[in-house]
Amino acid sequence: MSGKPKLTYFNGRGCMESIRWLLAAAGVEFEEEFLETREQYQKLIKGGALLFDQVPLVEIDGMKIVQTRAILCYIAAKYNFYGKDLRERALIDMYVEGTADLMGMIITFAFTPPKERNLALIIERATTRYFPVYEKVLKQHGQEFLVGNRFSWADVQLLEAILMVEEKEPTVLSKFPVLQAFKARISNIPTIKKFLQPGSQRKPPPDDQYVATVIEVFKKD
């Protein structure tokens, strides 16, 4: 064992991408095993590695952790991205849950039949429900980061969400100058800047091949 965390998931974004982002933000190198066949998935289940028969799976510090939220909380706490006290942790949780709701709409978009896809709804929610909140928070306290004037999980996931929405609508931040500045600032943090470079372990938007692989692996016998 190299001692590096090992991530088991598909070779695509999905529920694992926020985990990749958080590890990368912490400057932590990690290994990946990609699910490509149903046999791989069944072997993990039979071996007891998947507590609820679900991925993502992250092996770290001698543990096999499943459930996306549990994995992210562990990484955030381990690498000091989770605030200095319970109050800050509650704020981080609120902001993270908001961006997770927004990103969830985008994650499921590729798996939705084309005639049922509603991109306009995603943009509407981003610009009227979610981004105004973060714009206001940053403007009100006048600090560089969302919580405690310190780089946290909330900042990492907000940048991830912004970039995901911008892939769908490049001008989405046009009415959010504070978020534009936030995006530029967080993107320039060395570990984030490295993760955003070509050749990193950041995954591209889902394509037809990725969708087909996920469906094939999860299909019922």
Side-chain angles (χ1 to χ4, degrees), residues 29-64:
E29 294 183 357
F30 55 88
E31 299 175 347
E32 298 191 83
E33 179 177 330
F34 298 127
L35 286 178
E36 297 174 342
T37 67
R38 181 155 180 79
E39 288 70 32
Q40 281 178 282
Y41 174 56
Q42 290 175 322
K43 184 177 179 181
L44 285 170
I45 293 173
K46 291 176 182 176
L50 303 181
L51 197 61
F52 301 105
D53 297 350
Q54 295 173 319
V55 288
L57 166 66
V58 172
E59 297 174 61
I60 185 171
D61 295 340
M63 298 184 293
K64 294 182 178 181

Side-chain angles (χ1 to χ4, degrees), residues 124-196:
E124 187 268 333
R125 289 282 171 81
T127 55
T128 64
R129 178 178 294 184
Y130 296 107
F131 289 169
V133 170
Y134 303 109
E135 180 88 358
K136 183 178 179 181
V137 167
L138 288 164
K139 190 173 183 179
Q140 281 185 336
H141 65 39
Q143 298 173 340
E144 293 191 349
F145 306 106
L146 282 169
V147 179
N149 203 24
R150 178 180 175 185
F151 188 35
S152 78
W153 174 19
D155 302 302
V156 178
Q157 196 157 298
L158 176 55
L159 178 61
E160 181 188 2
I162 288 171
L163 295 180
M164 286 177 73
V165 180
E166 283 187 330
E167 288 171 348
K168 300 294 186 185
E169 175 48 69
T171 64
V172 73
L173 288 188
S174 60
K175 296 181 180 178
F176 301 99
V178 178
L179 283 182
Q180 290 176 36
F182 171 87
K183 173 192 165 187
R185 189 165 59 246
I186 304 302
S187 295
N188 227 17
I189 291 173
T191 54
I192 298 294
K193 189 173 183 178
K194 181 179 179 182
F195 190 60
L196 292 174

